[in-house]
């Protein structure tokens, strides 16, 4: 991966340093959107796992002390507590799905905006600086693969 990173940037700057320099501006927003999505998912996932662990503890304690639970008519209370904890885990799972969907959309949005910027500026370089279409595509693919 390190070789790909370095090699692609070298190819991009050798083939056309002006477009490669503009493409560098796309890397920080990409990293930022990925970092935000990863952080949100990890926080929500931790909350979901904690809820499932709590629900598992309720089941374990209930089964471990089943004679006591039955003698005090605690089955309904244990079931209600288990249902509450699994509903909390379900809500966290739904939130994790929403965060993943929005985060992936944000990442692809930044990614495709980078493509747009690259091809727009590449067209200007073709007209004004004598770049070729193949050179622009080569630089764009090298820089995006490296990033």
């Amino acid at each position: 991966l390190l070789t790909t990173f370095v090699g692609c940037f070298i190819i991009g700057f050798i083939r056309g340093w002006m477009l490669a320099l503009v493409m560098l501006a796309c890397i920080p927003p990409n990293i930022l959107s990925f970092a935000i999505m990863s952080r949100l998912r990890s926080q929500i996932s931790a909350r979901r796992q904690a809820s499932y662990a709590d629900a598992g503890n309720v089941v374990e304690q209930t089964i471990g002390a089943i004679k006591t639970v039955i003698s005090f008519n605690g089955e309904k209370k244990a079931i209600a507590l288990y249902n509450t904890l699994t509903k909390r885990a379900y809500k966290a799972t739904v939130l994790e799905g929403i965060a993943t969907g929005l985060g992936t959309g944000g990442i692809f949005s930044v990614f495709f905006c980078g493509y747009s910027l690259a091809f727009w500026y590449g067209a200007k370089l073709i007209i004004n600086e004598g770049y070729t279409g193949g050179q622009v595509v080569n630089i764009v693919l090298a820089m995006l693969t490296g990033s």
Side-chain angles (χ1 to χ4, degrees):
L1 291 176
L2 183 63
T3 304
T4 301
F5 174 76
V6 172
C8 287
F9 278 90
I10 289 172
I11 289 170
F13 277 98
I14 287 174
R15 297 284 292 156
W17 66 271
M18 286 191 283
L19 183 56
L21 203 59
V22 169
M23 291 294 299
L24 285 178
C26 299
I27 295 172
N30 234 346
I31 291 171
L32 183 67
S33 62
F34 185 77
I36 290 170
M37 183 191 75
S38 296
R39 184 170 177 114
L40 278 174
R41 280 195 63 202
S42 67
Q43 289 174 349
I44 294 170
S45 179
R47 196 177 327 150
R48 175 179 50 88
Q49 289 174 351
S51 293
Y52 276 128
D54 292 342
N57 285 338
V58 167
V59 171
E60 184 179 336
Q61 289 173 3
T62 303
I63 291 175
I66 193 69
K67 290 180 182 179
T68 307
V69 171
I70 290 174
S71 67
F72 288 108
N73 291 328
E75 301 98 336
K76 290 181 182 179
K77 184 177 178 184
I79 291 170
L81 181 59
Y82 177 78
N83 286 338
T84 301
L85 292 171
T86 54
K87 284 179 186 176
R88 191 180 310 157
Y90 173 77
K91 288 178 184 176
T93 303
V94 169
L95 280 176
E96 186 177 4
I98 291 170
T100 300
L102 291 174
T104 303
I107 288 171
F108 278 113
S109 175
V110 170
F111 193 70
F112 289 133
C113 285
Y115 268 131
S116 301
L117 173 68
F119 286 120
W120 172 78
Y121 191 66
K124 287 200 166 283
L125 291 175
I126 289 171
I127 294 168
N128 298 332
E129 300 293 328
Y131 278 45
T132 64
Q135 197 176 5
V136 169
V137 170
N138 187 272
I139 295 165
V140 169
L141 290 179
M143 294 300 288
L144 288 177
T145 301
S147 67

